Amino acid sequence: MAAVYKRCPDAAESVIVHLVQHTCDLYETRQTLPVTNVASCGLVFSNVGVVCGGCRLRMEEGMNKENTEELMQVEENTKELKQLEDKIRRLEEEVAELKRQRQIYQPDLHASQTMRDAMSLLCGKMPQGGAQMVLSNLREEVKHLQVDLRRQSRMNGISLRSCSVETLQGDGTELVQKMCVSGCCSEFDFLVALQLSQVETGERPEKKIVSLDVVLGDIDLPNFSSFLSGVEESKDLLLFFRTLRTLSDRINDRRRTFQHFQAKYPQVVSLPDGDSSSTLALHHPALKRCTFLLHWCVDVSKEGKVTPKLDLLPKIPQQALRLLPSWNVDGVGEGFHSLLRLLGPEAALEEVIRAALILDD
């Protein structure tokens, strides 16, 4: 009975009260309790304990099952909530990106009416009936732009191959774009990458170059790398193109001069490195080993000043100098520089050829 009471005290007390009342009734009717009934009471106590323990286990199992289902439901709700939060975050990021693009790609006030009509057509803001007219006007404008580009290329000597623009930052007050331009100026290929900042300060936006990188094709000129470093440091894009144009003009002058003398005096004039050679060789028709070398280089200073430099170098064997003592080759260089200052490159070279008796009058 003590074990039953410990397991389920309420149920045990109820059974005891019931048995006491039953015993009192028996005494009142003066009936004796059979032995078998006493044994039955012990059996009843045992069965009560078993029954109460089973009920408790069933109750605990039911509660555990309900708790498990509630936990599973909470986990499922938490997972679904996290998915919804991720989706909301992605939508907020997409909305922010669309707002940024809207600020960046607002219609340019300097764009032509034809371009604005084309943008409206692409955005579906124009009736389909006007599509043919917009396309026709757009083709006509492209033709005019191509003609203008060719005219500009002939004027400044610079031909563009590609141009790309990438927006790095854009808000209501500042727009930062990365631009890459590739092209050529005469025989020089170039690639210019720059970051352009445009700040709205009033009626006219303020534009400035934030960074500048210049890559030039193979070029063998003294001090030219110092000039490029100075341009990138000062971010002076105009100085770069102006110097590049002047440099290409001076090199073209050299090429035309050398080709002129090679065509005029093919028997004595040669270009060791071809049409792009910076050296012109003059050979004596009778003395093959007697040669004058005209070295014509173009120097570019760090400030962008382009200066041609011409030097005449005699290449005459000592044996020939002993046979021709009248040939004073020591002052050839200084004499040629004097002729350059007075006559210019072509006339000075012409005089050198005749003075060295390379050609008969």
Side-chain angles (χ1 to χ4, degrees), residues 11-46:
E13 289 178 359
S14 178
V15 172
I16 292 172
V17 171
H18 179 72
L19 290 176
V20 170
Q21 291 178 353
H22 183 66
T23 305
C24 291
D25 293 338
L26 291 175
Y27 276 110
E28 289 177 358
T29 55
R30 297 184 178 188
Q31 295 178 356
T32 59
L33 183 65
V35 178
T36 56
N37 291 341
V38 175
S40 300
C41 290
L43 180 61
V44 169
F45 283 117
S46 300

Side-chain angles (χ1 to χ4, degrees), residues 62-79:
M63 293 178 63
N64 292 335
K65 184 177 181 181
E66 291 179 357
N67 293 336
T68 303
E69 292 178 353
E70 290 179 358
L71 290 175
M72 292 177 62
Q73 185 66 30
V74 170
E75 292 179 355
E76 185 178 353
N77 293 339
T78 304
K79 184 177 180 181

Side-chain angles (χ1 to χ4, degrees), residues 114-285:
T114 303
M115 186 62 66
R116 289 197 290 268
D117 292 342
M119 293 298 296
S120 299
L121 180 63
L122 291 176
C123 296
K125 297 181 180 181
M126 179 175 288
Q128 293 296 328
Q132 294 298 329
M133 181 179 296
V134 171
L135 292 177
S136 177
N137 295 337
L138 190 60
R139 292 191 188 97
E140 192 68 23
E141 183 171 353
V142 169
K143 290 181 181 179
H144 287 304
L145 291 175
Q146 290 176 344
V147 172
D148 184 67
L149 180 61
R150 287 193 293 267
R151 182 172 64 252
Q152 292 291 335
S153 298
R154 288 194 299 268
M155 291 174 59
N156 54 37
I158 297 175
S159 299
L160 300 181
R161 295 195 183 100
S162 65
C163 178
S164 62
V165 180
E166 178 185 358
T167 301
L168 303 179
Q169 176 185 347
D171 50 32
T173 58
E174 185 178 9
L175 176 65
V176 180
Q177 293 178 318
K178 180 180 179 181
M179 300 182 179
C180 294
V181 180
S182 65
C184 64
C185 182
S186 186
E187 62 183 18
F188 301 116
D189 295 329
F190 63 84
L191 174 64
V192 177
L194 60 95
Q195 288 188 13
L196 182 65
S197 173
Q198 177 177 328
V199 181
E200 299 291 340
T201 57
E203 296 181 357
R204 300 184 61 183
E206 180 183 350
K207 297 181 180 181
K208 65 177 180 179
I209 297 178
V210 180
S211 65
L212 177 64
D213 295 320
V214 180
V215 178
L216 208 60
D218 294 336
I219 182 171
D220 186 15
L221 294 177
N223 303 327
F224 196 77
S225 58
S226 300
F227 164 71
L228 288 181
S229 299
V231 166
E232 293 177 347
E233 182 178 354
S234 63
K235 304 177 183 62
D236 195 343
L237 188 61
L238 180 61
L239 175 63
F240 167 73
F241 283 113
R242 184 170 59 239
T243 303
L244 186 63
R245 170 63 190 274
T246 304
L247 174 63
S248 64
D249 289 343
R250 300 290 83 81
I251 291 181
N252 288 334
D253 292 341
R254 180 184 67 187
R255 183 186 297 107
R256 285 192 298 267
T257 301
F258 283 0
Q259 290 177 352
H260 165 74
F261 281 104
Q262 188 181 29
K264 187 175 181 180
Y265 307 119
Q267 67 276 23
V268 295
V269 175
S270 64
L271 301 177
D273 298 328
D275 293 339
S276 61
S277 176
S278 61
T279 302
L280 182 144
L282 301 174
H283 305 279
H284 195 283

